[in-house]
Amino acid sequence: MNLFSITDVGRRREINEDYIYTSDKPVGNLPNLFIVADGMGGHNAGDYASKHAADKAVEVIASCTDEYDAENILQKAIDDANTYIHKMSEKDEELKGMGTTFVAATFEGNHVTVANVGDSRLYVINEFITQITKDHSLVEEMVDMGGIDRETARIHPDKNIITRAVGVKEYVLVDFFDVHIGKQEKLLLCTDGLTNMLKDGEIHKIVNGSNSLEEAGKRLIEAANENGGRDNIAVVLVEPFGGQND
């Protein structure tokens, strides 16, 4: 496996509320684990939400030794993270209203299990780029209803309004996706600080035109900042079969 992750505060923000967790080694009964979270809330609440939601999820996964189904493990982890963040937001006035997006992935062989809440994304990249997750956002609902097209959605003034987040409510609904990947395919987990600054085609061109995941990740950050860098940016790139002999 090849792996590279990077996060950047961007050019408009003072605090980085994006958080990344990666492990190419087993975490509990999961063979590997990759998480991207994008926090929201006043003061340092967004920063707190993304980091502590991810940390709580990892803690739960590591201790969940009686369960072997990846989806069930991720479901429990995100449920417990949601409960923790929600309770903290009610307990501390400075953390009130905080929440975070949450996209997580784990793979075994050719099978990838993906969990998603919010508008951070997971893509599969090969000769094409395919968005696997579906944004939980106001503009995504407008696209689904035929009110606007995909291109208009990218620049819509309400594009940052999300309809689901970890920690905002007592319970959270998690979407799951099962993906079959080939030997030449890459996974990209990222926050909207990347996807609001770069079109899918631009992301695809950078990743496929780079000599390594590290080069690709750094070029994605650079390009997002060159296009305005209006938000924090987080990128996790994984080649599940990278470094293996065919």
Side-chain angles (χ1 to χ4, degrees), residues 32-46:
N32 43 67
L33 180 61
F34 314 97
I35 298 170
V36 165
D38 180 359
M40 61 185 190
H43 304 290
N44 292 328

Side-chain angles (χ1 to χ4, degrees), residues 94-219:
E94 289 195 348
L95 300 178
K96 187 175 181 180
M98 70 175 171
T100 182
T101 71
F102 198 99
V103 59
T106 183
F107 68 86
E108 188 160 20
N110 294 88
H111 181 250
V112 185
T113 302
V114 183
N116 182 58
V117 179
D119 65 351
S120 295
R121 295 177 179 177
L122 182 140
Y123 292 90
V124 171
I125 298 175
N126 44 39
E127 64 266 30
F128 305 103
I129 180 168
T130 305
Q131 182 181 336
I132 302 301
T133 53
K134 183 175 181 179
D135 296 350
H136 300 133
S137 67
L138 183 62
V139 295
E140 186 67 26
E141 291 182 357
M142 294 166 70
V143 170
D144 286 347
M145 292 185 295
I148 59 174
D149 60 25
R150 184 68 58 190
E151 189 57 33
T152 303
R154 286 193 71 257
I155 57 173
H156 196 280
D158 293 332
K159 67 179 180 297
N160 292 324
I161 299 176
I162 59 175
T163 54
R164 256 189 250 178
V166 171
V168 173
K169 297 181 180 179
E170 187 176 358
Y171 301 102
V172 65
L173 180 61
V174 185
D175 284 352
F176 286 94
F177 305 87
D178 292 313
V179 185
H180 186 275
I181 52 168
K183 290 200 170 184
Q184 304 302 317
E185 296 185 317
K186 304 176 182 72
L187 304 177
L188 166 64
L189 293 78
C190 60
T191 56
D192 67 346
L194 181 74
T195 55
N196 283 341
M197 296 294 98
L198 297 175
K199 296 179 181 179
D200 286 4
E202 294 171 315
I203 294 171
H204 181 250
K205 184 176 180 181
I206 289 171
V207 173
N208 274 3
S210 299
N211 294 318
S212 66
L213 297 188
E214 180 176 358
E215 180 186 332
K218 290 178 177 179
R219 287 179 62 194

Side-chain angles (χ1 to χ4, degrees), residues 21 25 37 52 58 77 99 123 125 141 143 152 217 221 232:
Y21 173 88
K25 304 292 192 296
H52 285 80
V58 172
Y123 292 90
I125 298 175
E141 291 182 357
V143 170
T152 303
I221 296 289
N232 310 143

